[in-house]
């Protein structure tokens, strides 16, 4: 347990340039506190002390802003940076050396039973606000971009971005895909444009009919 704590503190110092020393990390880093509280909760959960395990996890949530189900498996050297809003589900697994930023969800889709949550391999980085949903694996050394929504397995050494997330780099090589995240079509604007075009066509037809009606009335008036 002590060796794991040392590894967790070391992970914070290595990956957070704002971390000055071990004492500061131990006393002031809520992400580390969440992991520290999870360790006994996980032990209790696996020894069928479910109520006490959940009590500790709920205390940790209110204390740190990080909600880790006591059944989740958290590896060594995991760094939770600015942990507010992080949620890690019951059957989730987080490998050694992973980094999770604020707002990350390792959740389920609501359709699965048994293994419902994702498994992160070693040294995976999950960016701010990213959602990883489902019982699949994120391979070792992969990176999930901020705000991405991952709904399927990501291979090792990959970078995934977007909603839903797509792999844009694999083993350091960019994959050529149409994944422009800026110049995306706006479906609402397209619908409005279609409505404008339809309305313009109807107006043209009405104006044409009105002109035809005027010509007919003028002919009738001339015949009278």
């Amino acid at each position: 347990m002590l060796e794991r704590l040392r590894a967790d503190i070391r992970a914070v110092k290595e990956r957070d340039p704002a971390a000055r020393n071990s004492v500061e990390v131990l006393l002031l880093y809520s992400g580390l506190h969440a992991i520290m509280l999870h360790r006994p909760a996980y032990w209790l959960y696996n020894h069928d002390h479910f109520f006490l395990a959940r009590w500790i996890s709920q205390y940790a949530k209110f204390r740190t802003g990080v909600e880790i189900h006591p059944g989740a498996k958290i590896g060594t050297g995991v760094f939770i940076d600015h942990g507010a809003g992080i949620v890690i589900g019951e059957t989730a697994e987080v490998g050694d050396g992973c980094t999770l930023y604020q707002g990350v969800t390792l959740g389920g889709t609501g359709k699965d039973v048994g293994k419902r949550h994702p498994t992160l391999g070693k040294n995976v980085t999950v960016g701010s606000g990213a959602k990883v949903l489902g019982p699949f694996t994120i391979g070792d050394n992969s990176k999930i971009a901020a705000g991405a929504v991952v709904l399927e397995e990501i291979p090792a050494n990959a970078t995934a971005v977007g909603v839903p997330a797509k792999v844009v780099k694999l083993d350091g090589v960019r994959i050529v895909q149409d994944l422009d995240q800026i110049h995306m079509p706006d479906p609402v604007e397209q619908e409005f444009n279609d409505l404008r075009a339809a309305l313009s066509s109807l107006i043209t037809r009405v104006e044409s009919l009105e002109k035809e009606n005027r010509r007919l009335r003028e002919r009738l008036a001339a015949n009278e």
Side-chain angles (χ1 to χ4, degrees):
M1 184 70 75
L2 188 59
E3 186 56 39
R4 273 192 163 189
L5 178 58
R6 288 196 185 101
D8 293 336
I9 292 173
R10 189 163 55 248
V12 176
K13 291 171 65 178
E14 288 173 353
R15 285 174 247 167
D16 185 357
R20 294 178 176 83
N21 55 65
S22 297
V23 174
E24 180 183 69
V25 171
L26 180 62
L27 296 179
L28 302 179
Y29 274 66
S30 60
L32 177 64
H33 298 162
I35 292 174
M36 290 170 63
L37 288 165
H38 175 72
R39 303 291 189 205
Y42 178 74
W43 186 92
L44 289 166
Y45 188 84
N46 283 280
H47 287 80
D48 298 332
H49 300 293
F50 301 118
F51 180 84
L52 187 54
R54 286 305 300 266
W55 187 90
I56 293 173
S57 72
Q58 290 301 295
Y59 170 77
K61 179 179 75 170
F62 288 114
R63 174 74 173 77
T64 67
V66 178
E67 182 170 0
I68 308 175
H69 191 284
K73 296 180 182 179
I74 306 297
T76 301
V78 172
F79 176 34
I80 295 178
D81 193 16
H82 303 292
I86 284 180
V87 177
I88 301 176
E90 179 183 14
T91 61
E93 299 178 39
V94 180
D96 297 344
C98 288
T99 300
L100 309 179
Y101 289 90
Q102 66 268 24
V104 165
T105 298
L106 304 182
T109 62
K111 300 177 182 179
D112 301 296
V113 294
K115 173 65 172 170
R116 307 184 304 281
H117 304 99
T119 296
L120 306 189
K122 295 180 179 180
N123 305 313
V124 173
T125 299
V126 186
S128 303
K131 314 301 177 187
V132 186
L133 307 175
F136 49 80
T137 298
I138 306 297
D140 295 349
N141 308 308
S142 288
K143 296 178 181 179
I144 308 301
V149 178
V150 184
L151 301 174
E152 59 185 18
E153 184 166 333
I154 301 297
N157 306 306
T159 299
V161 304
V163 181
K166 302 293 183 184
V167 174
V168 295
K169 280 187 179 180
L170 187 59
D171 294 320
V173 179
R174 184 167 185 82
I175 297 174
V176 179
Q177 298 185 55
D178 183 14
L179 288 170
D180 187 346
Q181 299 295 305
I182 299 174
H183 304 99
M184 296 290 286
D186 184 342
V188 176
E189 183 180 8
Q190 287 182 344
E191 188 68 22
F192 273 117
N193 288 338
D194 291 342
L195 288 172
R196 289 192 191 101
L199 181 59
S200 177
S201 177
L202 287 172
I203 290 172
T204 300
R205 288 184 61 190
V206 169
E207 289 176 346
S208 177
L209 288 172
E210 286 179 346
K211 289 179 181 179
E212 185 65 26
N213 285 336
R214 280 198 298 270
R215 285 196 294 268
L216 288 173
R217 286 196 297 270
E218 288 171 358
R219 288 177 185 175
L220 288 172
N223 290 334
E224 290 177 355

